[in-house]
Structure formats: C-alpha cells, structure tokens
C-alpha cells in the first residue's frame, strides 16, 4: 500500500545542509503493523511526515494505494490526508473546550459530512475504542489514556487506509501504554495498516515489522513475531 523509492528530504541550517532523509526505499503492505525506530535526528519523524503528506520530499517517489502523491499540490495533499490517513500524536491534540464527540467529528466537518451522519459515525468510533459513554466529556474530564483513545477514534472516523502514530504512548504510564498498544493491535487485526514511530523497544516488540533509521537512512528492516498486548 505504501511504496517509497529514493525518498530524500534536506533542510538548510545556516551554511550547512542537513540530510534528514537520504534515499530511503521501502514498501509496506496493506494490513501490516510497522514500528519505525531510531535515535533523535535519525529521520524517523521526517519519514512519518512524508508518509502523512505533511511535507514534500526533495527527491524520490511516494505512492499511497497506487497514487503518486509526492508531487501533489497543497490542496491535493490535504484531501489525501483527510480521506486516506488517520493521525495519532503523543500530545493527543484535542480541542480542550470541545467534547470528545465534537473532537471526533472534526475531520468529518472538513470532509463535508452532514451533521446527523457525523454524530452517528463519531459515536460508532468512540464505541470502537470503548468510550461511547464518555462522548459528552471534555478532555480535562478524561484520563491521559482516555484522551488518547479519543484521538484514535478521531483518526479512525473517516475510515482511513493508513493509521500513523507518532510516539502515541510517550505521555502515558506503562499500564496505560499497554492498553493503547492493545487497541492498535486490535485495529490492525481488523485490517487497518498501522505505522508507529517510537524510540522504545518495549513498544516496538508489539509490531510485526521494525524499520530502524539512523542518520537519515534506513539501516534495518526486520520482521518478527509480535508480542500480544494484554
């Protein structure tokens, strides 16, 4: 479902050019659960931003579900993000004055979905992460784990092809992290492709494949038998 060839991204820092991503070639099949690992500055976040159509490469190709997206306009990239990709971040990125239901409905507003259908789909998404009964609660009334589950419901509400998670357990305690990883595994078993950035080997062991980055390059591509979260 994802095919990148020779993907590169460079940034200017004063007189120097930093190769944040340097000629990465990799393919990810539909239905995989992939962990992306590497130290700070390794290129893993740049890789995630390019997969998520949040940035454009300087060179190389990127095909998402058969569509070439590397050269699309900003508006076209926004449409791809809204239609095909769900995002989950470490900081949850929920609107604090809005209810869980309102937060989950937000992507459908941009997609032009009618109000009644938005409510129906948002409640179903909250139900899928075990939070339907918290639909009218605001983020400040929810625990960190519950806030992250709301964020996951928001990422799922437009039925994306791809779920991108950037350090989704970084702000959570160990027990709550395992709950969230277990949720990702259940979603993956339903057929959703999951790409998860993490610096924690304890999280990567639950993925079926690990991509290891360093200095902007893909060093290792390892397949493994994933552990099952409790």
């Amino acid at each position: 479902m994802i095919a990148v060839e020779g993907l590169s991204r460079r940034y200017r820092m004063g007189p120097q050019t930093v190769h944040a991503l340097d000629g990465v070639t990799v393919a990810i099949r539909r239905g995989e659960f992939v962990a992306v690992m590497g130290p700070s500055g390794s290129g893993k976040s740049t890789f995630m931003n390019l997969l998520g159509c949040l940035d454009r490469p300087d060179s190389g190709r990127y095909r998402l579900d058969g569509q070439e997206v590397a050269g699309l306009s900003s508006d076209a990239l926004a449409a791809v993000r809204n239609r095909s990709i769900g995002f989950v971040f470490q900081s949850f990125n929920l609107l604090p004055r809005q209810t869980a239901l309102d937060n989950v409905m937000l992507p459908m507003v941009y997609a032009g979905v009618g109000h009644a259908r938005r409510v129906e789909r948002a409640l179903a998404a909250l139900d899928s992460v075990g939070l339907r009964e918290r639909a009218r609660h605001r983020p400040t009334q929810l625990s960190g784990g519950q806030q992250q589950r709301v964020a996951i419901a928001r990422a799922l509400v437009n039925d994306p092809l791809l779920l991108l998670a950037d350090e989704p357990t970084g702000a959570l305690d160990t027990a709550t992290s395992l709950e969230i990883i277990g949720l990702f595994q259940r979603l993956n078993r339903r057929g959703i492709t999951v790409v998860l950035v993490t610096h924690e080997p304890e999280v990567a062991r639950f993925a079926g494949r690990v991509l290891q980055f360093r200095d902007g390059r893909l060093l290792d591509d390892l397949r493994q038998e994933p552990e099952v979260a409790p």
Side-chain angles (χ1 to χ4, degrees), residues 25 28 54 81-82 89 105-106 125 130 135 137 158 174 192 194 196 200:
T25 296
I28 296 173
L54 297 169
R81 288 195 301 270
N82 188 259
F89 301 99
M105 287 196 297
L106 191 59
H137 288 65
N158 277 339
T174 300
I192 295 174
V194 179
L196 183 152
E200 300 177 78

Side-chain angles (χ1 to χ4, degrees), residues 100-101 119-137 149:
L101 181 65
V119 172
E120 178 185 352
R121 284 170 55 178
L123 287 173
L126 285 168
D127 191 48
S128 74
V129 300
L131 281 182
R132 188 185 182 102
E133 76 283 357
R134 300 279 185 168
R136 303 296 177 181
H137 288 65
R149 282 194 275 164

Side-chain angles (χ1 to χ4, degrees), residues 52-217:
C53 299
L54 297 169
D55 194 8
R56 291 192 184 90
D58 292 305
S59 60
R61 302 182 63 188
Y62 172 26
R63 293 190 302 278
L64 176 61
D65 199 35
Q67 179 184 11
E68 182 67 52
V69 298
L72 293 179
S73 68
S74 295
D75 287 346
L77 286 175
V80 170
R81 288 195 301 270
N82 188 259
R83 181 181 67 249
S84 301
I85 304 171
F87 296 91
V88 181
F89 301 99
Q90 177 178 340
S91 58
F92 317 140
N93 289 355
L94 301 177
L95 299 177
R97 297 185 179 181
Q98 302 298 316
T99 65
L101 181 65
D102 290 332
N103 272 280
V104 175
M105 287 196 297
L106 191 59
M108 293 183 286
V109 174
Y110 298 124
V113 179
H115 180 75
R117 182 64 174 145
R118 291 202 304 268
V119 172
E120 178 185 352
R121 284 170 55 178
L123 287 173
L126 285 168
D127 191 48
S128 74
V129 300
L131 281 182
R132 188 185 182 102
E133 76 283 357
R134 300 279 185 168
R136 303 296 177 181
H137 288 65
R138 290 182 171 83
T140 54
Q141 299 171 304
L142 302 172
S143 69
Q146 289 171 334
Q147 290 183 62
Q148 191 61 291
R149 282 194 275 164
V150 171
I152 293 170
R154 181 184 58 193
L156 295 174
V157 77
N158 277 339
D159 295 322
L161 299 170
L162 173 65
L163 185 61
L164 296 178
D166 192 359
E167 300 281 4
T169 62
L172 304 174
D173 60 65
T174 300
T176 306
S177 295
L178 287 174
E179 291 178 9
I180 295 301
I181 290 300
L183 176 56
F184 279 124
Q185 287 188 325
R186 291 192 295 275
L187 294 171
N188 179 245
R189 287 194 289 270
R190 283 171 37 190
I192 295 174
T193 305
V194 179
V195 178
L196 183 152
V197 168
T198 182
H199 66 278
E200 300 177 78
E202 296 81 6
V203 172
R205 64 193 171 97
F206 295 102
R209 185 178 175 190
V210 179
L211 304 180
Q212 187 78 42
F213 282 76
R214 185 176 292 274
D215 298 328
R217 297 181 179 180

